[in-house]
């Protein structure tokens, strides 16, 4: 009887060991390009990836890239077509896998992570190696479009679309009959549709002009710095030397 229990325990331990290779190792979050924490959507998807065919995964990756290029997640109807194409409801939870692929590519592109680092980290969290190769291949092929769309859709402050100004002169005030003090009134139209209006004195306007010119000069000096040339040359490369 004890022999059967020992054998059963060994089988159980063997199954647990196999399952551990199908999930994200504990405490690895900070060592990956997802730092400080791997999203839960990716942790949930890793186990499902071991039940997916490579052909189905390849179609999901291309569907994610198409969603990046369109600037939004696919509609319910479009995703149903993708799901039907990769295996319908018979396979694993494809919406979880789709979300995980989207998070992987978005994080790698926004952080401008090298392909070799992405590949090593994905393998470290037990993503099947053939699936890692598919992701890296697509990211290299579509790098320019992915980065361009990432810049367009990133969270940022509204842009300045239009600026109008005029000079007002205060002729008198409640305490003085004759003031004749000029001021500049600005009206800014922003990309989110809002309009901001503010007034500055002549002294404040000159300070604004000086600080703006100083920032532009500092930017030009920074662009001419040798280290920036090295950075620009490195930025032209793909995720890895090709």
């Amino acid at each position: 009887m004890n022999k059967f229990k020992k054998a059963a325990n060994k089988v159980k331990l063997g199954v647990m060991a196999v399952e551990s290779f199908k999930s994200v190792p504990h405490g690895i979050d900070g060592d990956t390009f997802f730092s400080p924490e791997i999203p839960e959507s990716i942790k949930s998807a890793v186990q499902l990836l071991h039940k997916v065919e490579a052909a189905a995964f390849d179609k999901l990756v291309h569907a994610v890239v198409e969603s990046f290029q369109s600037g939004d997640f696919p509609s319910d109807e479009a995703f149903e077509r993708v799901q039907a194409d990769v295996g319908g409801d018979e396979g694993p939870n494809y919406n979880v896998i789709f979300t995980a692929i989207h998070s992987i590519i978005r994080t790698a592109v926004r952080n401008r992570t090298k392909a070799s680092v992405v590949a090593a980290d994905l393998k470290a969290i037990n993503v099947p190696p053939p699936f890692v190769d598919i992701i890296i291949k697509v990211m290299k092929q579509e790098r320019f479009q992915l980065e361009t769309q990432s810049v367009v859709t990133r969270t940022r402050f509204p842009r300045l679309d239009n600026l109008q100004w005029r000079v007002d002169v205060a002729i008198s005030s409640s305490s003085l009959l004759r003031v004749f003090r000029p001021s500049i009134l600005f009206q800014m139209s922003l990309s989110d549709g809002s309009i901001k209006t503010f007034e500055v004195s002549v002294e404040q306007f000159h300070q604004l002009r000086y600080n703006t010119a100083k920032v532009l000069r500092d930017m030009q000096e920074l662009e001419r710095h040798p280290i920036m040339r090295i950075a620009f040359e490195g930025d032209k490369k793909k995720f890895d030397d090709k």
Side-chain angles (χ1 to χ4, degrees):
M1 191 68 179
N2 291 332
K3 291 182 179 180
F4 287 112
K5 287 184 178 181
K6 289 181 180 180
N9 289 332
K10 288 182 179 180
V11 172
K12 185 177 181 180
L13 290 173
V15 172
M16 292 174 62
V18 172
E19 291 298 324
S20 67
F21 286 105
K22 296 182 180 180
S23 60
V24 178
H26 179 70
I28 199 175
D29 301 52
D31 297 329
T32 66
F33 67 93
F34 299 104
S35 181
E37 186 178 3
I38 299 174
E40 287 298 326
S41 59
I42 296 177
K43 291 182 179 180
S44 301
V46 168
Q47 291 183 338
L48 297 175
L49 291 177
H50 293 270
K51 305 175 183 178
V52 180
E53 297 292 336
F57 183 81
D58 183 72
K59 292 177 181 178
L60 287 172
V61 172
H62 282 85
V64 169
V65 172
E66 290 178 3
S67 73
F68 268 105
Q69 294 172 347
S70 64
D72 197 4
F73 266 65
S75 62
D76 292 341
E77 294 78 9
F79 185 78
E80 287 176 1
R81 290 196 296 269
V82 173
Q83 189 173 10
D85 190 28
V86 298
D89 297 330
E90 298 178 0
N93 201 340
Y94 287 120
N95 60 339
V96 175
I97 297 175
F98 183 94
T99 304
I101 298 172
H102 192 279
S103 297
I104 291 171
I105 296 178
R106 180 187 60 193
T107 304
V109 171
R110 288 187 175 179
N111 295 341
R112 306 181 77 86
T113 310
K114 293 181 66 175
S116 58
V117 176
V118 175
D121 288 351
L122 292 181
K123 291 177 182 178
I125 65 175
N126 290 328
V127 174
F131 295 174
V132 175
D133 295 339
I134 292 174
I135 292 176
I136 298 303
K137 180 181 178 181
V138 172
M139 287 178 63
K140 285 183 176 180
Q141 291 175 343
E142 306 293 338
R143 176 177 181 262
F144 178 77
Q145 290 82 357
L146 291 173
E147 288 190 351
T148 301
Q149 193 61 33
S150 177
V151 171
V152 172
T153 58
R154 74 182 187 272
T155 302
R156 56 184 175 181
F157 290 108
R159 302 184 308 276
L160 178 64
D161 281 347
N162 187 31
L163 176 66
Q164 295 180 335
W165 61 275
R166 73 167 188 246
V167 177
D168 292 338
V169 179
I171 298 176
S172 63
S173 66
S174 58
S175 58
L176 295 174
L177 292 177
R178 302 179 67 180
V179 179
F180 294 107
R181 178 176 296 173
S183 62
I184 298 95
L185 183 68
F186 288 94
Q187 185 179 78
M188 298 190 305
S189 300
L190 305 181
S191 58
D192 61 355
S194 62
I195 297 177
K196 306 293 183 181
T197 304
F198 60 95
E199 186 179 31
V200 299
S201 65
V202 175
E203 292 79 9
Q204 290 173 322
F205 176 71
H206 286 314
Q207 185 178 8
L208 176 64
R209 285 197 311 115
Y210 171 77
N211 289 332
T212 302
K214 184 176 183 299
V215 169
L216 291 175
R217 187 190 64 185
D218 291 344
M219 290 174 61
Q220 292 174 350
E221 291 179 354
L222 182 62
E223 289 177 351
R224 289 196 295 266
H225 197 282
I227 195 65
M228 294 302 297
R229 295 199 197 99
I230 297 175
F232 290 150
E233 290 175 0
D235 194 44
K236 291 178 182 178
K237 295 182 179 180
K238 301 295 183 181
F239 288 90
D240 276 328
D241 296 333
K242 293 180 63 178

